[in-house]
Amino acid sequence: MLGPPGSGKGTHARVLSEHFSVPHLSTGAMLRGAIRAGSRLGDDVAAAVRAGELVDDEVIADLVDEVLASSSASSGWVLDGAPRSVAQARLLAPILESHGAASVIAIALDVPEHELRQRLLDRGEREGRADDRPEVVAHRLRLWAATGPPLLEWYDTRGMLHVVDGVGPVPDVSSRVIAAVARASAGWRGRDGSAER
Ligand code: AMP
C-alpha cells in the first residue's frame, strides 16, 4: 500500500486485510510501538520518526524480514508504509520473495496535496501524533514529493502499479482498493495459470 502521508494507507490496508483475511503489517505502527515500548529499536528510530524523517533503509528491511518470518500467513500480507523509496523497493523485493511472495500488487492512493495537509492536521489534533505537527507535516509532504514519484514509476515499469483515487467517503475508496486488488490478482492468476479465478 503506497501513497503520501495522509492518503489513507493505514485505513484501507486494514480494510484489505479484513477482506482478504491476511495480516496487516504497518512499518509506521511497528516503529511507533517500538518507541512506546522503549525497545532498542524504538530508541534508535525515535528522533527520526518524531521529525518526520525516513528511518534507515536497512532498519526497515530488517524489520520487514523479521515480521514476515514470524507471520504464519500463507496467502499473503498487506504491507503498509514500505517501501518508501526506490532504494527500499530494491531492498525489499528479494525479502518478499524469500518469504514466498510470488506476486506483488502495488496500490497507490492518489490524493491531492491540499487534502493531505488538511487530513494530517486534523489527525494531529485528534490523535496528537508528534509527526502530525504542522512543520513536520510540511516536511513529510516534501519528502514524499521527492521519493514517491520515482517509487511509483519503479512499480509501474514492472507492471505492478495500480493507482486508486483516494478521495471520497472511506467505504467508496475501500471498494475501489478491493476491486483493484481483485482485478490485479485475477490478472496474475490468469497469467501463470496456477489458480482458478
Ligand atoms: P507512517 O505511519 O507510515 O506514516 O510512518 C510514520 C513514520 O515512521 C514515518 O514518517 C517514518 O519516520 C517512519 N517510517 C515508517 N515506514 C517507513 C519506511 N518504510 N521507511 C522509513 N521510515 C519509515
Side-chain angles (χ1 to χ4, degrees):
M1 183 67 80
L2 309 174
S7 58
K9 296 188 297 291
T11 301
H12 299 293
R14 260 190 301 280
V15 171
L16 270 184
S17 137
E18 279 169 25
H19 185 87
F20 291 103
S21 302
V22 294
H24 169 203
L25 309 175
S26 157
T27 48
M30 288 186 265
L31 295 173
R32 284 188 291 278
I35 294 169
R36 268 197 309 276
S39 69
R40 175 141 177 235
L41 169 66
D43 290 347
D44 287 349
V45 301
V49 171
R50 197 173 307 115
E53 299 291 356
L54 292 182
V55 167
D56 284 353
D57 294 344
E58 286 71 24
V59 172
I60 296 296
D62 287 348
L63 184 65
V64 171
D65 193 20
E66 223 168 86
V67 76
L68 293 187
S70 65
S71 153
S72 56
S74 56
S75 51
W77 318 269
V78 183
L79 194 51
D80 156 17
R84 287 288 230 269
S85 62
V86 169
Q88 287 191 7
R90 290 206 177 101
L91 271 177
L92 289 185
I95 293 174
L96 297 178
E97 212 179 306
S98 75
H99 291 286
S103 304
V104 171
I105 300 168
I107 299 288
L109 291 169
D110 186 27
V111 177
E113 191 167 318
H114 67 271
E115 177 150 348
L116 295 171
R117 188 171 294 110
Q118 196 53 53
R119 286 184 188 181
L120 290 165
L121 297 178
D122 290 348
R123 187 174 69 186
E125 285 186 10
R126 221 174 36 245
E127 299 176 16
R129 249 175 77 165
D131 58 350
D132 285 341
R133 286 171 294 141
E135 63 279 18
V136 184
V137 161
H139 180 64
R140 290 164 67 207
L141 289 173
R142 275 198 302 275
L143 205 52
W144 171 263
T147 60
L151 173 66
L152 301 193
E153 197 186 322
W154 193 86
Y155 280 108
D156 197 21
T157 55
R158 285 158 181 77
M160 298 177 189
L161 185 70
H162 305 268
V163 178
V164 173
D165 178 5
V167 178
V170 169
D172 294 359
V173 178
S174 286
S175 297
R176 291 198 282 270
V177 170
I178 289 169
V181 172
R183 264 197 314 275
S185 58
W188 48 253
R189 278 182 194 143
R191 269 203 304 280
D192 74 9
S194 62
E196 69 278 17
R197 281 165 189 259

